[in-house]
Amino acid sequence: MAICPGCRSQGELCKECPTCRRYFVEESQWRKSPSDELLGTLIGGQYIPTALIGEGGMGRIYKARAKYTGQTVALKILKSEYMEDETLKDRFFREAEVVGALDHPHIVKLYGCAPVPEHNTIYMAMELLNGRTLFEVLRREVTPLQTMMLWFTEIASALGCAHSKGIFHRDLKPENVFIIKEDDGTEHVKVLDFGFARLQGAAKKLTMAGVAFGTPHYMSPEQAMGLTEITAACDVYALGIMLFQAVSGHVPYDSANNSPMEVMHAQVNSPTPQCVPRQEYNVPKRLISCIYKCMKKEPKDRYADGNELCAELQAILDEIKKASAELEKPTVVAQAVDNVATHKESGSGLSQTTFLIAIAALVLIAIIVTILIVLNI
């Protein structure tokens, strides 16, 4: 059932209400946030928010439908109370500029971005993703190593595309990687949230020297120190941290007191801890070496960018696939041996049956002969 968020009349989903000029949304979605002033309105002259699907400190994300094409999108809206903050507004437009410049199968797609004066906000229409974040996967399950390596190779490929255009993500973490399931059942990644990305050579910088920026557990040493000369190596470092976490089951640097400053201090000063793989994983040494190289303290000692790292991860993935295929061969031979053994046992069974029938026949003949003798026949 569809309801108008304005006058509560009923009607057809996403059609305009003749009474109050808002648009009908599903009643169940309206009941979840009845005071939401954007549900059922027309944003940017073309998008109708139909459900609130996420909310952060600075913005909301809606499921929305394009009025004229019927396309379903994710609509990112900056909260109106932040419209006076020029830095946040610039950051919002920067994300749109960055994502709009990137055309890659493993990066979320942008459809449009513009101010909405009538609601005192800015919108960004993006590809609607159905699935789960890498954060959820790492927290709840142990994914087969080959699948996990495929995902990380795709992440590196996405970063390589951005790096080749002079774009550095700067806040790469499992929460910003989405795992989507295709129609054929396969799962692939989408990298998102480029809100704090930096364009190399940009005239306007959105962070200041001496101010650390990023998420502490995945922050490179140069970011933790607040250095302004950030390169693609910061994303390589973050991906190395994520690989360490995926392989071992925990992040390399943590704080018992949940102190971001302690974690950042460790990123800069503590030696790289040993990466001990989960017991479910048979990890090649080359992968461990790759993780350690990504996590080098000096940017120049890491892989140069996502493209170089992607090539290495693809080579490691190929090795894992080959090793997996080799492991399957003895299984095939073993099955063949079992089949032969089964046939032999079947043959033995047939021979034993024939033998028993012969004995029974001899016994029967002996009985008949004995009866004839007794009867003097």
Side-chain angles (χ1 to χ4, degrees):
M1 180 184 298
I3 189 172
C4 172
C7 64
R8 312 294 188 269
S9 61
Q10 296 179 359
E12 187 179 349
L13 183 65
C14 289
K15 295 297 183 181
E16 189 175 25
C17 174
T19 303
C20 62
R21 317 308 295 179
R22 288 179 75 170
Y23 292 80
F24 295 103
V25 300
E26 291 182 8
E27 184 176 6
S28 59
Q29 296 299 331
W30 170 76
R31 290 191 179 281
K32 291 178 182 178
S33 47
S35 60
D36 194 317
E37 71 282 0
L38 293 182
L39 276 180
T41 60
L42 189 62
I43 302 295
Q46 56 183 326
Y47 295 111
I48 305 167
T50 58
L52 179 65
I53 57 177
E55 183 170 5
M58 296 180 294
R60 297 186 181 97
I61 299 179
Y62 294 87
K63 180 180 179 181
R65 181 186 291 187
K67 178 180 179 180
Y68 301 107
T69 66
Q71 182 185 29
T72 302
V73 303
L75 206 62
K76 190 172 184 179
I77 304 286
L78 183 66
K79 290 181 179 179
S80 57
E81 56 261 38
Y82 294 106
M83 285 295 288
E84 301 303 318
D85 190 323
E86 293 300 322
T87 299
L88 291 181
K89 287 169 61 177
D90 285 344
R91 196 165 280 162
F92 198 91
F93 285 122
R94 174 67 58 84
E95 179 177 7
E97 181 183 359
V98 167
V99 178
L102 300 174
D103 182 15
H104 191 276
H106 301 302
I107 296 177
V108 64
K109 290 182 174 63
L110 176 76
Y111 300 129
C113 176
V116 189
E118 62 270 30
H119 293 291
N120 189 34
T121 187
I122 306 169
Y123 83 87
M124 192 186 308
M126 309 177 80
E127 177 181 12
L128 181 65
L129 303 177
N130 294 311
R132 54 205 172 136
T133 65
L134 182 59
F135 173 79
E136 294 173 292
V137 173
L138 294 179
R139 185 178 60 175
R140 298 177 182 175
E141 61 191 70
V142 180
T143 303
L145 182 61
Q146 187 168 311
T147 301
M148 186 67 71
M149 287 305 300
L150 172 63
W151 293 349
F152 273 91
T153 302
E154 292 175 347
I155 297 170
S157 176
L159 291 177
C161 173
H163 294 165
S164 65
K165 295 179 181 293
I167 296 169
F168 315 132
H169 192 289
R170 299 199 305 160
D171 194 26
L172 185 68
K173 54 187 175 182
E175 292 92 328
N176 288 338
V177 176
F178 218 80
I179 311 298
I180 61 170
K181 181 170 284 190
E182 306 289 358
D183 293 338
D184 62 1
T186 60
E187 291 185 310
H188 296 283
V189 307
K190 290 277 187 177
V191 178
L192 55 150
D193 203 352
F194 283 83
F196 300 106
R198 170 172 291 179
L199 288 83
Q200 193 171 39
K204 189 173 184 178
K205 294 183 178 180
L206 300 181
T207 54
M208 299 177 294
V211 178
F213 176 78
T215 302
H217 287 99
Y218 305 93
M219 189 184 294
S220 67
E222 59 269 27
Q223 288 174 284
M225 291 187 289
L227 301 182
T228 57
E229 294 304 315
I230 302 299
T231 67
C234 75
D235 292 339
V236 170
Y237 186 91
L239 191 60
I241 296 284
M242 290 163 59
L243 269 170
F244 187 110
Q245 181 179 4
V247 168
S248 69
H250 60 86
V251 291
Y253 304 110
D254 208 350
S255 167
N257 304 318
N258 296 317
S259 168
M261 293 304 297
E262 287 183 9
V263 176
M264 291 164 63
H265 182 271
Q267 298 281 22
V268 176
N269 300 293
S270 298
T272 304
Q274 184 180 3
C275 183
V276 180
R278 301 171 183 261
Q279 62 179 7
E280 297 91 346
Y281 285 163
N282 181 20
V283 177
K285 292 182 179 179
R286 186 172 179 179
L287 176 54
I288 301 299
S289 298
C290 173
I291 293 172
Y292 290 154
K293 184 171 180 178
C294 289
M295 293 175 58
K296 291 290 186 181
K297 301 295 184 183
E298 291 292 333
K300 62 181 177 59
D301 296 329
R302 303 172 205 148
Y303 296 96
D305 56 23
N307 290 315
E308 186 176 332
L309 177 55
C310 181
E312 177 64 9
L313 292 177
Q314 184 61 60
I316 295 171
L317 176 58
D318 291 341
E319 286 186 9
I320 293 173
K321 289 179 178 179
K322 184 178 179 181
S324 178
E326 290 296 325
L327 284 174
E328 290 177 0
K329 287 183 180 179
T331 303
V332 174
V333 173
Q335 287 176 348
V337 171
D338 287 344
N339 289 338
V340 171
T342 301
H343 286 308
K344 285 184 177 180
E345 289 175 4
S346 298
S348 300
L350 288 172
S351 300
Q352 188 175 12
T353 301
T354 304
F355 177 75
L356 290 175
I357 292 173
I359 293 297
L362 289 173
V363 169
L364 181 60
I365 292 172
I367 291 173
I368 293 173
V369 171
T370 300
I371 292 173
L372 292 174
I373 293 174
V374 170
L375 295 176
N376 293 316
I377 296 177

